[in-house]
Amino acid sequence: MCGIVGYIGYRDAYPILIKGLQRLEYRGYDSAGVALFDGNNINLAKTKGKVEDLSKKAKTDISLKGTLGIGHTRWATHGVPNDVNSHPHYSNSGDLVIIHNGIIENYESIKKELGKRGYTFSSDTDTEVLVNLIEEVQKTEDVKLGKAVQIALNQVVGAYAIAVFDRKKPDEIVVAKLGSPLAIGVGDKEFFIASDASPFIEFTNNAVYLEDEEMAIVRLGKEIKLRKIKDDAIAYPNILELQLNLEEIEKGGYDHFMLKEIYEQPRAILDTYRGRLLADQGIIRMAGIDDHLEKFLNANRIIIVACGTSWHAGLVAEYIFEDLARIPVEVEYASEFRYRNPVITDKDVLIAISQSGETADTLAAIKLAKERGAFVFGVCNVVGSSIARETDAGAYTHAGPEIGVASTKAFTTQITVLTLIALKLAKEKGEFSSSKFHEFLTELETIPAKVERALQSDELIKVIADVYKDSNNCLYLGRGYNFPVALEGALKLKEISYIHAEGYPAAEMKHGPIALIDEQMPVIVIATKKGHYEKVVSNIQEIKSRKGQIIAIVTEGDEQVRNLADHVVEVPETLESLTPLLTTIPLQLLSYHIAVMRDCNVDQPRNLAKSVTVE
Ligand code: M6R
């Protein structure tokens, strides 16, 4: 849950590192640091706070010279966020310096051993233990840095993406990966190291993504050498040509990435079905499904695993798969699934949903399902991510980079992919007539324009946000397909505005939460025309008679709810199973505006990080 960056080449490393860290701040932002080699010495600056604080500190405290350096932006696991616990960390001799994303689980016992040999530690981190273990191996075994890293890593248990260099041999950076991502950008006489490709995209389109248990010695003037950490076998770097472009990772005139990403949804949804949804030919083409169709058609059930917003997309998918394709579905939190000894057979298909493709619990759930014989399919946004590589097959969402910690376009594009899959399977299973299938395909094609229309309520939502920005609690209600949307709306509000919010199936309200309702309680109700409309209207009446404040998300032209609700936001009409793609939009905007009005850090909410690569 940290971002790491490194550079070795002929340019000044510092600006590359700082800019790279800013782009990686979505991965963690409680402290940051850089270490630069100036030709003789290592100059290191680190601080609690954001990369901006680091850059102020570095400018006054250290020489910014050097064409070799590493940097880190942290999401604390071991040790509170403070200056000392920030990375990079020196070894005791001061010759080695390291950055690390991950957790060394057995660091306590290693620390004890090193302590007996005279090592001292200034921080509470597992990372400082690792760099000293590498130093100890270097000394006792009299080996070069690369070999020392390899021997040390064979003694640790945990997850890591590391970059380490040696003041005495400043023509190389040694990197290694297990469980946390690590990319090497390959330029002309220069190399870049980063948690993802965003720090180096303006310098090179060529990148090597390390596999788990691989390490590399990145040496000036040499080709990258990859090795397996366990058995020293040589691995051959697969240099990929990246599709990413710079505009995609910049704010493009928006105040926040989150707002930009909300507004990108019409384009993102279109990109996600483009080339797959061929309405005029009456087909859905998805290689990941086409190549394994029998697995899906013969499956006893589909198990969906995910976390957070991706789990909410999984819940929407449960409705779609069961409703349209008549395939039984179970949706599980990956973190629970992995530890509860689930019954899995080779007749099960497991779908793992993850924006980042790096979520540790989801990865662990995949590994468990594979061990037990299930066919595993991934729905990821980040190309080449660990989950994308670990699964048997998959389909990417084409949302483009999502940088705001609060997931927005990832959610709607995940639903888009899952809808395509459900429709395809429904057709293959004969659950749909050609005309019904065609109706769905053509309606799906209208969604980007309808999302565009839903976005036009932005000003109205700002006015509503102003009324409720000081609330302490908020309830979100929905039924059927819109129950998961209620959960998602509540999560969005909680995570970026720190207002306590709960999502509930509307009919469950009377089994408990109704006790919370009084004139102070805003209740956001999704009450679109298709899908239990009359029932939801009754629920609204129950809230009204207890003086709750109602903000209703309704279908364009609705009059009945308008007469009951305090505020009404309209979305265009669509098929019931596609409504989540539209009803989500006002809820995202409402959370966004409330968070801005409360002066919260929208893109980097407290205590969170974009990808949760630790348990
Ligand atoms: O990258 P993933 O989709 O696997 O991430 C899962 C969750 O961590 C993520 O959706 C999280 O809940 C978001 N902050 C929600 O906005």
Side-chain angles (χ1 to χ4, degrees):
M1 301 263 281
C2 304
I4 65 169
V5 63
Y7 177 76
I8 183 164
Y10 58 89
R11 303 174 205 255
D12 278 340
Y14 177 75
I16 297 170
L17 299 181
I18 285 290
K19 204 167 204 177
L21 288 178
Q22 268 154 353
R23 292 192 188 145
L24 292 175
E25 260 189 322
Y26 73 88
R27 302 181 62 83
Y29 35 81
D30 59 40
S31 41
V34 286
L36 295 156
F37 182 71
D38 67 7
N40 295 307
N41 293 307
I42 297 171
N43 294 301
L44 189 151
K46 54 188 190 173
T47 183
K48 177 177 182 221
K50 305 237 159 138
V51 176
E52 207 185 320
D53 302 305
L54 169 69
S55 106
K56 284 185 201 138
K57 187 167 186 189
K59 273 185 201 138
T60 57
D61 286 11
I62 61 167
S63 153
L64 303 179
K65 276 200 328 204
T67 54
L68 162 66
I70 55 179
H72 189 270
T73 177
R74 179 169 187 246
W75 186 86
T77 54
H78 289 76
V80 294
N82 63 22
D83 292 2
V84 178
N85 287 336
S86 312
H87 299 211
H89 288 283
Y90 279 123
S91 63
N92 272 198
S93 70
D95 286 338
L96 303 189
V97 64
I98 194 170
I99 47 174
H100 168 214
N101 168 29
I103 291 182
I104 305 301
E105 288 169 14
N106 59 338
Y107 82 105
E108 294 271 23
S109 57
I110 299 172
K111 190 173 184 177
K112 222 179 254 169
E113 271 309 304
L114 289 172
K116 285 185 201 154
R117 293 180 214 174
Y119 283 84
T120 57
F121 301 90
S122 51
S123 76
D124 305 318
T125 65
D126 49 345
T127 307
E128 195 186 8
V129 174
L130 178 60
V131 72
N132 281 302
L133 176 64
I134 297 168
E135 177 153 293
E136 174 65 4
V137 173
Q138 228 184 0
K139 272 200 221 147
T140 51
E141 309 260 336
D142 193 20
V143 287
K144 291 187 182 153
L145 179 63
K147 192 72 195 164
V149 168
Q150 186 185 20
I151 295 171
L153 290 179
N154 275 303
Q155 296 176 28
V156 305
V157 177
Y160 49 78
I162 58 164
V164 50
F165 72 86
D166 185 344
R167 191 184 59 85
K168 302 188 296 326
K169 201 166 179 317
D171 65 342
E172 67 182 27
I173 301 178
V174 178
V175 297
K177 163 189 163 39
L178 174 63
S180 304
L182 197 146
I184 303 171
V186 183
D188 187 18
K189 301 190 185 70
E190 59 184 346
F191 294 106
F192 306 81
I193 291 151
S195 300
D196 69 35
S198 61
F200 54 77
I201 198 62
E202 65 260 57
F203 301 105
T204 178
N205 280 329
N206 298 322
V208 175
Y209 287 87
L210 256 60
E211 296 289 340
D212 273 349
E213 299 188 336
E214 276 182 3
M215 59 179 291
I217 297 170
V218 182
R219 188 172 293 151
L220 263 188
K222 293 272 177 346
E223 299 205 328
I224 298 171
K225 274 190 189 161
L226 295 189
R227 291 201 171 277
K228 293 284 176 199
I229 296 167
K230 279 239 159 73
D231 58 11
D232 209 32
I234 291 182
Y236 293 94
N238 177 15
I239 301 185
L240 300 174
E241 200 178 320
L242 303 172
Q243 302 299 327
L244 196 66
N245 65 53
L246 203 53
E247 295 94 77
E248 287 182 326
I249 54 169
E250 292 187 334
K251 281 192 203 144
Y254 288 88
D255 288 343
H256 298 96
F257 280 111
M258 181 181 177
L259 190 62
K260 176 183 176 232
E261 288 156 8
I262 291 173
Y263 271 86
E264 278 174 346
Q265 287 175 109
R267 197 267 315 139
I269 293 170
L270 177 62
D271 283 352
T272 297
Y273 70 64
R274 198 199 301 275
R276 291 168 165 164
L277 168 61
L278 307 170
D280 49 343
Q281 296 172 42
I283 52 173
I284 290 174
R285 198 162 50 201
M286 298 179 85
I289 302 289
D290 292 325
D291 296 349
H292 306 277
L293 199 54
E294 293 308 311
K295 289 271 179 207
F296 283 90
L297 296 180
N298 296 330
N300 279 345
R301 60 179 178 162
I302 292 176
I303 306 167
I304 297 180
V305 292
C307 303
T309 289
S310 298
W311 183 75
H312 296 154
L315 289 181
V316 175
E318 179 179 24
Y319 283 84
I320 308 176
F321 276 103
E322 296 210 342
D323 186 15
L324 307 187
R326 308 303 297 151
I327 301 174
V329 176
E330 285 168 30
V331 188
E332 301 245 13
Y333 284 117
S335 53
E336 287 299 314
F337 180 82
R338 63 180 290 193
Y339 284 122
R340 70 165 184 78
N341 195 16
V343 177
I344 309 167
T345 73
D346 59 3
K347 295 285 272 177
D348 291 326
V349 168
L350 181 127
I351 300 183
I353 309 173
S354 174
Q355 187 286 130
S356 62
E358 301 296 342
T359 301
D361 285 321
T362 311
L363 256 173
I366 290 170
K367 287 181 183 155
L368 176 71
K370 275 174 82 175
E371 273 162 29
R372 298 191 181 182
F375 176 76
V376 179
F377 189 88
V379 175
C380 296
N381 190 37
V382 177
V383 177
S385 55
S386 303
I387 292 177
R389 290 199 307 267
E390 192 67 38
T391 41
D392 296 313
Y396 284 116
T397 54
H398 294 297
E402 191 182 67
I403 293 168
V405 165
S407 208
T408 52
K409 61 178 179 169
F411 181 64
T412 44
T413 54
Q414 285 164 347
I415 294 174
T416 305
V417 162
L418 293 158
T419 303
L420 290 173
I421 298 173
L423 286 172
K424 189 174 173 65
L425 296 178
K427 179 76 190 322
E428 295 290 343
K429 284 186 70 198
E431 298 291 344
F432 268 10
S433 64
S434 291
S435 62
K436 194 170 168 201
F437 187 61
H438 193 255
E439 186 197 358
F440 266 93
L441 299 198
T442 46
E443 183 58 26
L444 198 46
E445 281 190 326
T446 69
I447 292 295
K450 289 183 176 175
V451 172
E452 202 81 69
R453 244 161 59 208
L455 287 166
Q456 286 166 11
S457 298
D458 199 3
E459 282 306 314
L460 166 66
I461 293 169
K462 220 185 263 180
V463 173
I464 301 172
D466 196 42
V467 178
Y468 296 104
K469 63 178 189 299
D470 297 319
S471 302
N472 293 323
N473 294 291
C474 200
L475 205 56
Y476 286 73
L477 303 178
R479 289 188 84 143
Y481 280 96
N482 282 305
F483 158 53
V485 176
L487 295 179
E488 174 60 9
L491 175 62
K492 285 294 85 91
L493 189 70
K494 278 187 267 217
E495 71 179 327
I496 62 169
S497 72
Y498 318 139
I499 294 174
H500 173 247
E502 298 256 9
Y504 252 88
E508 272 294 303
M509 188 187 56
K510 57 187 164 300
H511 298 286
I514 199 163
L516 294 168
I517 291 176
D518 60 14
E519 55 280 7
Q520 306 299 327
M521 177 66 97
V523 186
I524 289 116
V525 190
I526 304 159
T528 43
K529 274 273 183 266
K530 300 214 177 97
H532 322 289
Y533 177 72
E534 293 304 335
K535 308 261 181 222
V536 177
V537 171
S538 306
N539 298 138
I540 291 177
Q541 261 148 349
E542 288 157 13
I543 301 163
K544 221 42 243 167
S545 49
R546 285 154 185 90
K547 300 198 170 59
Q549 304 294 305
I550 306 223
I551 303 147
I553 312 300
V554 300
T555 307
E556 278 172 356
D558 180 289
E559 286 305 327
Q560 199 178 350
V561 173
R562 187 174 287 277
N563 291 331
L564 292 169
D566 298 277
H567 310 271
V568 156
V569 181
E570 292 187 341
V571 294
E573 185 161 5
T574 187
L575 296 172
E576 186 190 353
S577 52
L578 302 181
T579 51
L581 292 167
L582 304 180
T583 50
T584 303
I585 307 297
L587 305 191
Q588 294 171 342
L589 287 169
L590 184 66
S591 309
Y592 171 78
H593 289 302
I594 290 181
V596 170
M597 288 170 188
R598 287 166 70 95
D599 221 8
C600 297
N601 189 335
V602 172
D603 284 334
Q604 297 174 344
R606 69 184 179 207
N607 305 338
L608 286 172
K610 184 72 182 160
S611 49
V612 184
T613 56
V614 292
E615 279 194 50

